[in-house]
């Protein structure tokens, strides 16, 4: 989360958006949507703008409609990034590291397990994508998707990737190279896809008035959901 693309088209946050409810789990305020008694859960980890982004909650509701319990925690403790260009973004990044995000995610996952959830998938966006690749190293989740991720390295990657053609943070060439590494691992199911004509953050920061942007985002959402339908059961 260090390029200007991360801050393009910032969402208008809303504490009341979405069809779900907000309550605490694992020590974090969390947006819950979907059947509360489901044994199958999906953890969505936001980009730097946090869990009150309307498009993110809309996506959570869409995934929930497939029968999953979906949780979207507030990993920033009420302190999402400010789109003001004068904000000290480096200080914000240091205060909200992905290692801490991974620890918090594990606490949420443990709480879900204690409530009887038997299988969990995780998807992360930009900052959240870096958290998800850390989770994917462990047995905490059964399937993972990262969408227009932040910086990731070869020794971390073991997940499905949905990337943007116009992305200075995670260029298509880098993601394609990671895809080649994944495809060589017989023990790993892999899926890498680069979406043409879109920029970093497009899956949750699209404009609802841009028909082409919405169509591309919905295609990515469908790919993500299909991945979870295949492995979270």
């Amino acid at each position: 989360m260090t390029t200007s693309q991360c801050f393009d088209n910032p969402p208008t946050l809303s504490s009341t958006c979405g069809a779900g409810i907000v309550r605490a789990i694992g020590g974090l305020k969390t947006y819950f949507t979907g059947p509360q008694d489901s044994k199958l859960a999906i953890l969505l980890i936001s980009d730097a703008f946090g869990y009150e982004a309307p498009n993110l909650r809309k996506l959570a509701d869409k995934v929930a409609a497939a029968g999953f319990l979906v949780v979207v925690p507030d990993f920033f403790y009420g302190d999402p990034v400010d789109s003001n260009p004068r904000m000290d973004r480096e200080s914000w990044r240091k205060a909200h590291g992905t290692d801490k995000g991974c620890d918090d995610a594990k606490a949420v996952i443990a709480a879900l397990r204690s409530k009887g959830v038997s299988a969990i998938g995780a998807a992360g966006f930009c900052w959240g994508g870096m958290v998800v690749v850390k989770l994917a190293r462990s047995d905490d989740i059964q399937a993972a998707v990262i969408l227009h991720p932040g910086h990731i390295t070869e020794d971390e990657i073991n997940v499905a990737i949905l990337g943007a053609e116009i992305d200075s943070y995670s260029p298509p060439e880098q993601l394609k190279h990671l895809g080649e590494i994944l495809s060589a691992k017989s023990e790993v199911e892999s899926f890498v896809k680069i979406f043409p004509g879109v920029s970093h953050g497009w899956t949750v920061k699209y404009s609802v008035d841009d028909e082409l942007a919405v169509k591309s985002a919905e295609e990515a959402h469908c790919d993500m959901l299909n991945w979870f339908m295949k492995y979270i059961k």
Side-chain angles (χ1 to χ4, degrees), residues 39-114:
K39 303 300 182 184
L40 310 177
I42 304 297
L43 170 64
L44 298 187
I45 305 181
S46 73
D47 62 15
F49 290 100
Y51 85 132
E52 293 182 344
N55 284 348
L56 179 62
R57 289 196 177 181
K58 184 186 298 184
L59 174 57
D61 292 340
K62 183 188 299 185
V63 176
F68 296 106
L69 169 63
V70 183
V71 294
V72 191
D74 177 14
F75 287 100
F76 306 132
Y77 296 86
D79 181 37
V81 78
D82 188 335
S83 59
N84 187 331
R86 291 178 293 181
M87 177 191 178
D88 187 346
R89 294 168 179 170
E90 181 62 19
S91 293
W92 184 94
R93 185 188 65 80
K94 290 179 179 178
H96 301 290
T98 54
D99 286 342
K100 177 63 163 62
C102 184
D103 290 341
D104 284 344
K106 289 185 176 185
V108 171
I109 289 168
L112 289 170
R113 297 284 189 190
S114 72

Side-chain angles (χ1 to χ4, degrees), residues 151-165:
H151 180 67
I152 52 178
T153 59
E154 296 175 12
D155 61 349
E156 290 179 319
I157 192 66
N158 191 22
V159 294
I161 307 169
L162 303 180
E165 179 184 32

Side-chain angles (χ1 to χ4, degrees), residues 172-187:
E173 296 76 16
Q174 176 191 354
L175 299 184
K176 289 176 181 178
H177 177 61
L178 291 171
E180 293 171 357
I181 294 172
L182 280 171
S183 64
K185 296 182 179 181
S186 59
E187 73 280 10

Side-chain angles (χ1 to χ4, degrees), residues 23 68 72 138 146 166 211:
R23 66 172 188 265
F68 296 106
V72 191
S138 68
I146 58 174
I166 308 167
E211 183 178 347

